[in-house]
Amino acid sequence: MKLLRLHVSGYKNLGNIEFDFSKANGCALIVGTNGSGKSNLLEVVSAIFSACYYEKKNVESDFRFELEYIIERLRTASAGGGPSYAFPLRVMIRNVDGKIEVQVYQNDEWLYVNKKEWFVVLPEHVIAIYSGEEKRLWEDYYFDSYDDFNKQYMSAKPYSTQRMLYFNKYYWDLFASILAVHDVEEHRQFLETINISNINKIKCTFDLKKMRDNKNEMVKEILNIINPENLNEVELSLDKYEELKFLIGYEQEILFNMMVLVLYKEFKIITDFHVICSNERVIKDLSEGEKKLLVIYGALNIVEGENLILLDEPDAHIHEGIKKGIFDLIKSANSNNQFIITSHSPTMTNLFDKNELFVLTKQDGKICLLDEDKKHAISRLTDGIWCAEAQCVLLEGGQDLLLVEGKGDTKYIKKAFSYFKNKDEKYSDLNLFVLPFGGTGNCADFIQNIIEAGIINRKIIALFDADGSGRVKFSELVGRNGTTYTTKVYTLNNDVKALLLPKPDGNTNDEFMIEDYFDLSGYDAERERRYALCKGAKDKGEFKFSPKKYISEHCDEIGYEGFQLLCDKLLGILEGWSE
């Protein structure tokens, strides 16, 4: 499956917006600031296919959409009694006054598809992978599919495949168990990368009453393998669990059968299901990043077919190296899958191709896609310094900006702002979004280019370190002779001002940087303590513990009182901006 186009109007803050996915090659990364509609896009796609798969799921008439994609299945079918058509096939789904229409493009014309044959031209599964606690997507668009499937299964009648799948933390152990019992080299290698290659048993706790009440013949056969003696607790060897694949089938069939027994509240015969490694390590001991990799790998390698896969910020709160692992999993997946991914991460935005990147931004209170000219202009201006989300901040209306030299400056100033806002109400007006401009070498050209591009729509303050290189670049930007320290605030135009870091009264040091606002009275004692812990002449000879290192590790303990001078200066600039 490959998405071609999506037009949406009338859905929450997605007022009237069109996505051209035709060059995205099966993978669309959606970035933008909070409130820009990233998650709403996943809801839109989920709403469309939920309405297609389940007729009882109607859509509002004012929620207009047209979705086009290519389906690749190598088979033929007839559409609504019309002529047969061959795959790959172009499909369009749209809302006409609250009713879903599905059409296919065949022989240079659009043909309506009979509702009974929609399943032929829809993706085999829509899979949402979500790691947060928000339940709206699950409850509105995925629960009905899950509930219908489980009820059909419990009734012991023929049941249809679950088409809308929602995978989260509850699938960790199920995925690990299924991957472990299938003799696939790629599965073994993956489990090694997340440090659970030595799975040797599965601990299960059973609801004996539900076992006795069960009337499903397949479940009886499963239980005869995993709990033949009707015990309350069982520790299954991996060999015994592996017998299920000879009864049920391979990965997907085991998943669809076991998730009824393990997860569905109404039928939960297995009340606890935990994979255990030979060293007694369990899945919950994995890092957050390793757990996310497990869910994504399981979804991509256990569920069969031509699928649409939605990932909501899979890279949130994990190590940078794991983010690259997520990217690698996506890129190594079945080429017939289509991905839509939302992200805040600079790492992720830099990994994906420019044709796969879609930047949502707010302009004049409306959500829109950043057009290619502006997208390329701001990307060129920032030259890789900022991720796409930070680029959006520059282009959107809203908070005024404080541009600083580096990421360390950004971190400390943000914390200082928060500290003083909590301490004194007057600092609540210090509502600046802090962004780095990538070091002193970039700053003058960077800020000048932004001014010349004419894309500024709020106040910008450029703050330079008062060291040698900072003073040189500051002087270049503001056009002054000499590089001596000055307290003057320079106005570059109506929107941009620049200054050097304000120094405390009496400070005559030639160099002054952001770290000099911290109290270093505890540094010498901490350095001596660490030096004393060194063993041997070699360690002592190579010992390094700089003031910057001390500050980075103890900034919150030291506190931010020294930043009051900077906060007062910035507040005064904002209050007297037009003077």
Side-chain angles (χ1 to χ4, degrees):
M1 177 189 186
K2 293 292 178 288
L3 290 178
L4 297 177
R5 181 181 71 91
L6 172 62
H7 181 269
V8 181
S9 65
Y11 189 89
K12 297 187 177 178
N13 63 356
L14 300 176
N16 188 13
I17 189 167
E18 175 139 351
F19 297 83
D20 179 1
F21 296 117
S22 60
K23 296 179 181 178
N25 196 31
C27 191
L29 182 72
I30 314 298
V31 298
T33 53
N34 288 332
S36 64
K38 299 187 304 296
S39 295
N40 287 344
L41 177 62
L42 301 187
E43 288 186 27
V44 163
V45 175
S46 299
I48 291 171
F49 285 104
S50 178
C52 290
Y53 289 133
Y54 304 98
E55 293 182 30
K56 62 184 178 182
K57 279 284 185 183
N58 294 319
V59 293
E60 298 295 330
S61 59
D62 56 354
F63 165 31
R64 299 283 181 167
F65 60 80
E66 284 189 0
L67 174 65
E68 289 187 38
Y69 58 89
I70 298 289
I71 204 80
E72 300 280 352
R73 292 190 194 110
L74 301 178
R75 58 179 173 179
T76 61
S78 62
S84 294
Y85 50 86
F87 293 87
L89 191 68
R90 186 174 174 182
V91 183
M92 178 170 64
I93 306 172
R94 62 180 184 170
N95 175 15
V96 180
D97 298 325
K99 294 182 180 180
I100 302 294
E101 288 183 356
V102 178
Q103 300 179 45
V104 297
Y105 194 71
Q106 186 73 25
N107 298 323
D108 297 325
E109 63 178 329
W110 286 102
L111 306 175
Y112 287 94
V113 181
N114 187 292
K115 188 173 289 189
K116 293 180 179 179
E117 295 181 350
W118 281 3
F119 73 94
V120 176
V121 298
L122 296 176
E124 287 168 82
H125 304 95
V126 175
I127 302 171
I129 300 175
Y130 194 78
S131 55
E133 297 300 322
E134 172 62 54
K135 294 182 178 180
R136 185 176 67 250
L137 195 68
W138 158 251
E139 291 173 347
D140 289 350
Y141 305 114
Y142 291 84
F143 176 76
D144 282 348
S145 171
Y146 171 81
D147 194 48
D148 285 352
F149 171 79
N150 282 278
K151 286 178 177 176
Q152 290 176 40
Y153 186 101
M154 289 165 54
S155 70
K157 297 176 182 177
Y159 54 85
S160 57
T161 302
Q162 185 176 344
R163 306 292 290 269
M164 302 280 291
L165 297 168
Y166 186 95
F167 294 141
N168 56 13
K169 61 185 178 181
Y170 299 112
Y171 287 83
W172 293 341
D173 288 272
L174 270 178
F175 282 173
S177 71
I178 293 168
L179 296 172
V181 297
H182 284 84
D183 188 24
V184 178
E185 180 60 28
E186 289 81 1
H187 294 353
R188 284 196 295 270
Q189 291 177 359
F190 171 74
L191 293 176
E192 285 178 5
T193 65
I194 61 170
N195 302 308
I196 54 169
S197 58
N198 54 348
I199 295 171
N200 68 342
K201 61 185 175 182
I202 300 168
K203 186 174 181 180
C204 302
T205 304
F206 294 84
D207 184 321
L208 297 182
K209 181 180 184 305
K210 287 184 178 178
M211 283 181 63
R212 290 192 299 269
D213 293 342
N214 168 59
K215 293 180 173 57
N216 186 295
E217 291 300 321
M218 175 59 80
V219 172
K220 289 179 183 178
E221 293 188 57
I222 293 172
L223 294 173
N224 283 338
I225 292 174
I226 65 176
N227 189 8
E229 298 179 15
N230 296 331
L231 302 175
N232 180 246
E233 289 189 2
V234 172
E235 284 194 354
L236 282 172
S237 69
L238 210 57
D239 288 341
K240 175 57 70 174
Y241 186 69
E242 188 175 3
E243 292 180 22
L244 289 182
K245 73 182 185 184
F246 304 110
L247 169 67
I248 301 171
Y250 284 87
E251 289 102 323
Q252 180 171 291
E253 288 74 18
I254 293 180
L255 173 65
F256 283 169
N257 280 271
M258 289 300 293
M259 68 186 191
V260 182
L261 278 69
V262 173
L263 300 177
Y264 189 55
K265 187 189 303 185
E266 304 297 324
F267 196 67
K268 196 173 182 180
I269 287 176
I270 304 176
T271 55
D272 283 299
F273 183 92
H274 296 298
V275 166
I276 301 174
C277 299
S278 57
N279 59 1
E280 297 301 309
R281 193 180 194 210
V282 295
I283 300 297
K284 69 178 181 180
D285 294 333
L286 299 179
S287 70
E288 287 305 306
E290 289 169 333
K291 291 169 186 172
K292 288 184 178 182
L293 285 174
L294 176 57
V295 174
I296 295 170
Y297 184 90
L300 298 183
N301 290 275
I302 293 175
V303 181
E304 302 169 359
E306 195 170 344
N307 303 319
L308 172 59
I309 301 167
L310 313 177
L311 292 93
D312 189 40
E313 297 188 10
D315 49 353
H317 313 302
I318 61 174
H319 189 271
E320 291 298 310
I322 298 289
K323 295 177 183 181
K324 176 63 165 59
I326 290 174
F327 172 81
D328 290 341
L329 281 183
I330 292 168
K331 287 300 184 178
S332 64
N334 182 340
S335 61
N336 284 336
N337 289 328
Q338 166 73 51
F339 292 88
I340 301 179
I341 308 142
T342 65
S343 176
H344 283 285
S345 167
T347 301
M348 293 291 275
T349 56
N350 289 331
L351 286 170
F352 283 87
D353 182 80
K354 65 179 182 179
N355 290 326
E356 300 168 331
L357 183 62
F358 297 83
V359 182
L360 288 172
T361 184
K362 289 180 286 187
Q363 294 182 358
D364 300 324
K366 297 180 181 179
I367 302 300
C368 61
L369 269 173
L370 194 61
D371 66 60
E372 289 300 307
D373 289 341
K374 282 191 175 181
K375 183 176 167 183
H376 291 156
I378 192 63
S379 179
R380 183 181 69 254
L381 291 174
T382 58
D383 193 25
I385 298 167
W386 294 349
C387 67
E389 183 189 6
Q391 295 172 14
C392 287
V393 171
L394 179 66
L395 292 167
E396 293 177 3
Q399 282 180 277
D400 299 324
L401 302 182
L402 175 65
L403 303 182
V404 298
E405 288 191 15
K407 292 182 178 179
D409 297 359
T410 303
K411 170 186 171 183
Y412 298 140
I413 291 173
K414 282 182 176 179
K415 289 192 172 187
F417 284 177
S418 177
Y419 172 78
F420 282 102
K421 284 178 182 179
N422 289 330
K423 183 177 180 181
D424 192 326
E425 187 177 342
K426 77 174 184 178
Y427 293 104
S428 61
D429 292 333
L430 201 56
N431 190 29
L432 291 166
F433 197 99
V434 188
L435 287 171
F437 49 60
T440 306
N442 294 310
C443 58
D445 289 341
F446 175 76
I447 295 169
Q448 192 61 46
N449 285 340
I450 288 177
I451 293 171
E452 291 174 0
I455 53 178
I456 298 169
N457 51 6
R458 85 283 301 286
K459 300 181 182 74
I460 296 180
I461 301 174
L463 182 66
F464 290 77
D465 286 347
D467 58 358
S469 59
R471 294 196 304 272
V472 168
K473 291 299 179 181
F474 172 75
S475 294
E476 287 179 8
L477 177 66
V478 302
R480 72 170 190 143
N481 295 322
T483 60
T484 56
Y485 179 78
T486 177
T487 60
K488 181 177 177 180
V489 178
Y490 283 78
T491 298
L492 304 183
N493 67 15
N494 291 336
D495 298 307
V496 184
K497 296 181 185 290
L499 74 156
L500 294 169
L501 280 174
K503 297 196 294 188
D505 290 341
N507 186 303
T508 58
N509 293 337
D510 191 47
E511 306 272 305
F512 190 86
M513 295 181 289
I514 202 77
E515 289 83 4
D516 292 313
Y517 287 126
F518 287 101
D519 178 3
L520 294 179
S521 59
Y523 165 70
D524 289 339
E526 179 62 14
R527 187 182 186 283
E528 290 302 317
R529 185 187 73 80
R530 295 201 179 195
Y531 184 77
L533 294 175
C534 292
K535 297 179 181 179
K538 184 174 184 296
D539 286 347
K540 290 182 183 292
E542 296 178 353
F543 175 75
K544 293 179 181 179
F545 185 64
S546 66
K548 279 193 174 184
K549 178 72 170 174
Y550 172 70
I551 290 169
S552 70
E553 294 180 0
H554 299 276
C555 55
D556 291 337
E557 299 169 33
I558 300 170
Y560 297 91
E561 282 291 340
F563 283 78
Q564 184 169 1
L565 175 64
L566 174 62
C567 291
D568 287 342
K569 184 74 170 181
L570 294 173
L571 195 59
I573 291 172
L574 291 172
E575 290 174 347
W577 189 269
S578 58
E579 295 177 3

